[in-house]
Amino acid sequence: MAREFSTVGVVGLGTMGAGIVEVFARNGIDVVAVEISAPALERGRATLKGSTDRAVAKGKLAEADRDALHERVHFAVGLDALHSVDLVIEAVPEHLDLKQRIFAELDRVCRPETILATNTSSLSVTEISVATSRPNQVVGIHFFNPAPVMKLVEVVRTVVTAPEVVADVEALCARLGKVDVTINDRAGFIANALLFGYLNHAVSMFESHYATREDIDAAMKLGCGLPMGPLALMDLIGLDTAYEILDTMYRRGGRDRRHAPVPLLKQMVTAGLLGRKSGRGFYTYERPGSPVVVPDEATPLATDGALADGARAIAKVGVVGSGTMATGIIEVFAKAGYEVVSVTRGMEKSAKVCESVKTSLNKGVVRGKLAEADRDAALGRISWSATLDHLADVDLVVEAVVEELSVKKALFASLDEICKPGVVLATTTSSLPVIDVAMATQRPADVVGLHFFNPAPVMPLVEVVRTIRTSPEATATARAVCAALGKTGVVCGDRSGFIVNALLFPYLNDAVKMLEASYSTADDIDHAMKLGCGYPMGPFELLDVVGLDVSLAIQRELYLELREPGFAPAPLLEHLVTAGYLGRKTRRGFRDHSHR
Ligand SMILES: NC(=O)c1ccc[n+]([C@@H]2O[C@H](COP(=O)([O-])OP(=O)(O)OC[C@H]3O[C@@H](n4cnc5c(N)ncnc54)[C@H](O)[C@@H]3O)[C@@H](O)[C@H]2O)c1
């Protein structure tokens, strides 16, 4: 029989604590909510009220249920109010000494059988537990932000936690409607261990002006389908909390430099820029605690996508190549009203590409997304050629040939001879340095990267890569073209992986290393990222879709260029590739897909 929890205590009503109170009270459990001072208590009460009022306004909670929820919560200053609760969750700031002091005090105040839990993200639950005389009754219950919304809870057992305590807490999580993964006490557990290296890397991109905050966030949202970008997420987590989590993970997790907090974070925390809770972090908010972003001095001026910042007019576009990307890109430009010249290496190839474009456009018609007349008009805008000479009068060339530097360089040298002056020359490379391609021409200022995502007609993101020689006009032109295509163009520097792959693949690689270390299972890791962080797919699902060989190649590139030891490909990934387990395409990767 699982233990009954009728009253629980929550200590600290900040970002997490207030949400945790709501989770319990919503599920019929009485809560004693405790803060350090009367003003802090009022803030916590206001957060709870704001959140439940929003739920009522959205029709997710009945008014009567909200009132009943509030009646279940008893607010108090000081830990003494927790003398008769069945379980306490501590959610005070991420400092070991503070948490140890609170646990020693809870040990004194609470009944001997009360379970004491911490919501720590990165500190050692074991070290916290030994501040009490009952370490066997101490566990980690790690909720995710916002606690009422995110489904995941990580239950952390130490080497001394009693098995029945773990079982009781697991049953409680189920009663709260949460999905739990139970794991051992390691810095960052599953989700944060995989998340924070990525977040810190995104901050370092921002700090080094590699890309703007808006572009970094848009890249991860639109390129990976994440619910929010990394910098917006840092603001939600709280920069002070994020700093402490990174710092602890760095010290506890083997001094991986990727967890050493980027210096900018410390400066922002010192300056009181804590994120949403203080009204300003990477972004500026309407007021402290508000989720509404308001424009500030760093907000880009709204342009209508037209000829901003010296962007050149583009009417006719050449697309070179006959593969998946070239085919998709031809369709995208033709549909958007551009005149397109497709150049392949032979009329047979042109005929095939033409067929593929037709098939794809027809699908649009069948699905009711494209009128027949628009399909015909799009097809009418495309001319098919097997010679580069037909690119003499285009305004923009998009190259999407095989990913080999020598081939691309030779092509750009030819384009340099054929194309008229002022043309923007773009490469769709996903892994080669754009500057290498640019230097094959006499006009490197006009060369950019236009990194489309696959499938190009569907994916809303394009990375616009500017090299150290790219002119502002060429960048502005590329960006304006993306807007005219109905896509978001994010501008970034010319580094391996651009924004998306540089942030995505090390995280996937880290997941493989975690599996390899037997810390958790592929299923639990996938669950943790989907239910704890709102990712559309878990890392192993995604690796199997992308292909393990492709992932390994990208990770190797990143490692070679950036020389970051933490980017070294996971040996397990290499072994699976060697064994021919490449993912869905070979019916076996991290999972067996032969029966699906
Ligand atoms: N922010 C997140 O996204 C997130 C997610 C999961 C877990 N966590 C963890 O939750 C914990 C709390 O983080 P947060 O982001 O909610 O912090 P926060 O700074 O928003 O809130 C902490 C609250 O604790 C109160 N407090 C401080 N000392 C206290 C004391 N002695 N007694 C009672 N209350 C006290 C503060 O007044 C404040 O309201 C940390 O361990 C953090 O790692 C945070």
Side-chain angles (χ1 to χ4, degrees), residues 317-332:
V317 179
V319 180
V320 186
S322 52
T324 314
M325 289 315 287
T327 308
I329 291 167
I330 292 168
E331 177 183 336
V332 167

Side-chain angles (χ1 to χ4, degrees), residues 213-496:
R213 61 184 185 186
E214 283 84 3
D215 281 0
I216 293 170
D217 280 352
M220 296 314 285
K221 273 173 70 173
L222 302 177
C224 304
L226 303 188
M228 57 187 354
L231 301 176
L233 179 55
M234 287 294 268
D235 276 358
L236 174 69
I237 291 169
L239 269 51
D240 49 346
T241 302
Y243 177 88
E244 294 302 332
I245 293 173
L246 280 165
D247 191 48
T248 317
M249 289 193 32
Y250 175 71
R251 284 185 282 105
R252 283 186 70 205
R255 302 199 176 250
D256 183 340
R257 283 191 38 78
R258 291 179 303 154
H259 292 139
V262 169
L264 177 66
L265 274 178
K266 181 77 190 182
Q267 293 161 30
M268 291 178 76
V269 171
T270 308
L273 309 177
L274 306 183
R276 274 191 200 183
K277 62 182 158 190
S278 71
R280 179 139 192 193
F282 288 103
Y283 296 91
T284 303
Y285 299 85
E286 213 170 26
R287 59 181 170 320
S290 163
V292 180
V293 174
V294 294
D296 57 22
E297 67 284 353
T299 305
L301 293 175
T303 58
D304 51 8
L307 303 179
D309 316 326
R312 299 173 194 152
I314 305 287
K316 193 166 181 182
V317 179
V319 180
V320 186
S322 52
T324 314
M325 289 315 287
T327 308
I329 291 167
I330 292 168
E331 177 183 336
V332 167
F333 275 102
K335 264 204 303 207
Y338 290 92
E339 227 188 299
V340 180
V341 183
S342 155
V343 180
T344 71
R345 280 174 302 155
M347 286 324 284
E348 256 176 48
K349 285 197 191 299
S350 290
K352 264 179 76 182
V353 177
C354 179
E355 260 330 291
S356 305
V357 172
K358 272 188 192 154
T359 310
S360 177
L361 288 172
N362 281 336
K363 269 190 203 151
V365 172
V366 171
R367 291 196 187 128
K369 289 187 175 165
L370 187 68
E372 280 188 31
D374 291 337
R375 170 198 62 193
D376 297 342
L379 283 170
R381 283 186 209 108
I382 311 171
S383 57
W384 306 94
S385 164
T387 162
L388 293 174
D389 294 337
H390 287 133
L391 300 178
D393 64 342
V394 300
D395 308 306
L396 163 73
V397 179
V398 181
E399 163 279 309
V401 304
V402 66
E403 189 79 341
E404 259 175 50
L405 187 56
S406 58
V407 177
K408 294 201 193 259
K409 278 168 92 167
L411 175 62
F412 271 73
S414 305
L415 292 174
D416 193 22
E417 284 173 11
I418 294 165
C419 295
K420 64 185 183 190
V423 171
V424 173
L425 301 176
T427 170
T428 56
T429 182
S430 39
S431 62
L432 301 168
V434 177
I435 189 67
D436 274 332
V437 178
M439 294 311 287
T441 73
Q442 302 295 316
R443 44 175 121 177
D446 291 329
V447 178
V448 295
L450 270 184
H451 185 226
F452 284 84
F453 288 73
N454 190 15
V458 177
M459 296 296 288
L461 183 73
V462 180
E463 287 171 319
V464 175
V465 185
R466 63 165 170 228
T467 75
I468 44 172
R469 303 275 307 253
T470 306
S471 71
E473 293 75 27
T475 308
T477 307
R479 199 161 196 167
V481 165
C482 293
L485 295 176
K487 309 226 180 258
T488 298
V490 295
V491 178
C492 64
D494 183 20
R495 255 196 257 157
S496 180

